[in-house]
Amino acid sequence: LRTARDDLEQRHRREQEASQIKSRFISGLSHEFRTPLTGILGHTDLLRDGQNSPAATAESLTIIEANANHLLSLVDNALDQASLEVGQLALHPVPTRLADFCREMNVMFTPLAKRNGLEFDVQRRGSLPEWVRIDATRLRQVVINLVNNGVKYTDDGHVLLSVGWADDRLQISVSDTGPGISPSARDRIFLPFHREADATGKQGAGLGLAISNQLVQVMGGKLRVNDRPGGGSIFGFTVPAPEIVKAATGVGERGGGRRILLVDDSKDICTLYSRVLEKAGFRVGVASDEPEAWHLYENQRPDLVLADLYLKEWDGTGLVRRLRGRGYTGGIVAWSASSLREDRQRALEAG
């Protein structure tokens, strides 16, 4: 009876802890979503009245972009946590230009740091190759999480992103002049939904470090945290990133009037990508379902097909199979917001 009672008490404590973690997660996530959404909607209203100076317009666009990137990071973290738990997350290494990556991080975080009264800089250690092969999306996700944390928990001083490369491995570190992390807390900070009790007033979902730690492991490295001399923390990792001596050609090639069939049931996505592709010189036919796609295909004979994997009442891979079955030999790009390995494999098997 005593053993059964002890087991029940332990189970009850675990359930209480889980409930508290869940409540903190929902509270933090609610704030993390509502704050950037307020910024996006507010600055959209400011832009709509059409009475802004060029400088004010540029500032509003920068704020909208920064908040949208923050929201994307939150969504990626929440979805990837589920994918990692079931072992479904797949890496997609692609040729990546390191100079572009460094420039992108600088553009993204300099305004954010400035608004928080901080300095931000990207430091390149030694000589970097022009191109490496790495999953650029996951690399950005990890670095965005680490820099966001640095900016969030640093009240004054700076946040520094350092990028180095040696022996086909990319070396990344993010240092800050914040309060630092106690040695006793360093094992806990990588747990999903965990937030330190001394992070008073600092909102968050508690997923950034947990996701980053798991993504770095999937990429072939290990995320480490150390004290920064003079105060603050340094988060760093090293992951494989073999140099590509000669990158793929054709990057940035203009459309030249070639025809693209775009199949997606989201009107907003179709409008966005139609404008981007038409600006690049392509002729674009847009279909929101399979019958419309077949009509455009028969009349236009596209050079390239862009097909959403998940249509409301249709399966994008079924369309791909039928296109291949009818002898279409042009390029087909299947796209999806899903990051599951099985969806990628399903698209490849369809053709």
Side-chain angles (χ1 to χ4, degrees), residues 20-32:
Q20 291 170 358
I21 289 173
K22 179 181 177 182
S23 297
R24 288 199 303 269
F25 170 66
I26 292 173
S27 174
L29 197 61
S30 174
H31 180 277
E32 290 286 293

Side-chain angles (χ1 to χ4, degrees), residues 204-226:
L207 277 177
L209 285 180
I211 288 289
S212 298
N213 184 41
Q214 294 178 79
L215 286 177
V216 169
Q217 291 179 21
V218 172
M219 295 168 70
K222 182 178 180 180
L223 184 58
R224 295 179 173 85
V225 56
N226 295 296

Side-chain angles (χ1 to χ4, degrees), residues 53-64:
S53 67
T57 298
E59 183 184 28
S60 287
L61 290 172
T62 299
I63 291 172
I64 289 172

Side-chain angles (χ1 to χ4, degrees), residues 16-293:
Q16 284 184 320
E17 290 173 0
S19 178
Q20 291 170 358
I21 289 173
K22 179 181 177 182
S23 297
R24 288 199 303 269
F25 170 66
I26 292 173
S27 174
L29 197 61
S30 174
H31 180 277
E32 290 286 293
F33 273 108
R34 290 178 185 276
T35 300
L37 280 172
T38 300
I40 290 171
L41 294 172
H43 282 276
T44 300
D45 285 340
L46 289 177
L47 291 175
R48 187 176 284 117
D49 67 22
Q51 299 180 7
N52 300 285
S53 67
T57 298
E59 183 184 28
S60 287
L61 290 172
T62 299
I63 291 172
I64 289 172
E65 182 181 30
N67 281 291
N69 281 319
H70 178 61
L71 284 174
L72 180 60
S73 174
L74 287 174
V75 172
D76 284 341
N77 286 341
L79 295 178
D80 286 343
Q81 178 64 34
S83 298
L84 286 162
E85 286 177 358
V86 297
Q88 278 288 345
L89 190 136
L91 293 179
H92 306 297
V94 296
T96 302
R97 182 180 274 145
L98 290 180
D100 290 347
F101 167 75
C102 294
R103 190 179 306 111
E104 181 184 356
M105 294 299 104
N106 218 336
V107 169
M108 183 183 300
F109 286 110
T110 297
L112 176 64
K114 191 175 181 180
R115 288 200 303 274
N116 285 270
L118 304 172
E119 294 182 4
F120 175 76
D121 191 25
V122 179
Q123 182 182 73
R124 305 183 193 186
R125 298 196 310 267
S127 177
L128 299 180
E130 183 178 7
W131 292 86
V132 298
R133 182 173 294 277
I134 195 170
D135 189 324
T137 300
R138 300 306 175 193
L139 174 64
R140 289 189 191 95
Q141 188 175 349
V142 172
V143 172
I144 286 171
N145 283 334
L146 296 180
V147 176
N148 267 333
N149 270 4
V151 172
K152 181 188 297 182
Y153 293 105
T154 301
D155 293 326
D156 59 81
H158 68 265
V159 177
L160 175 66
L161 168 61
S162 179
V163 181
W165 185 90
D167 301 324
D168 280 344
R169 295 181 71 85
L170 188 64
Q171 303 161 349
I172 299 286
S173 69
V174 176
S175 61
D176 62 62
T177 54
I181 298 171
S182 65
S184 61
R186 289 179 185 174
D187 290 333
R188 299 193 300 270
I189 59 174
F190 295 122
L191 296 175
F193 314 120
H194 176 79
R195 297 183 65 247
E196 281 299 297
D198 60 357
T200 306
K202 306 294 185 180
Q203 295 291 334
L207 277 177
L209 285 180
I211 288 289
S212 298
N213 184 41
Q214 294 178 79
L215 286 177
V216 169
Q217 291 179 21
V218 172
M219 295 168 70
K222 182 178 180 180
L223 184 58
R224 295 179 173 85
V225 56
N226 295 296
D227 292 324
R228 175 186 170 275
S233 303
I234 302 175
F235 286 85
F237 62 91
T238 302
V239 291
E243 181 179 6
I244 301 175
V245 177
K246 198 170 185 180
T249 59
V251 177
E253 186 178 341
R254 311 305 289 176
R258 282 169 289 188
R259 295 177 298 275
I260 289 182
L261 172 58
L262 172 59
V263 186
D264 199 302
D265 55 12
S266 168
K267 183 179 179 181
D268 293 341
I269 292 294
C270 288
T271 300
L272 171 65
Y273 282 104
S274 292
R275 290 181 183 177
V276 171
L277 293 167
E278 287 167 356
K279 188 184 294 186
F282 293 96
R283 288 184 289 168
V284 184
V286 176
S288 59
D289 55 35
E290 192 163 343
E292 192 176 3

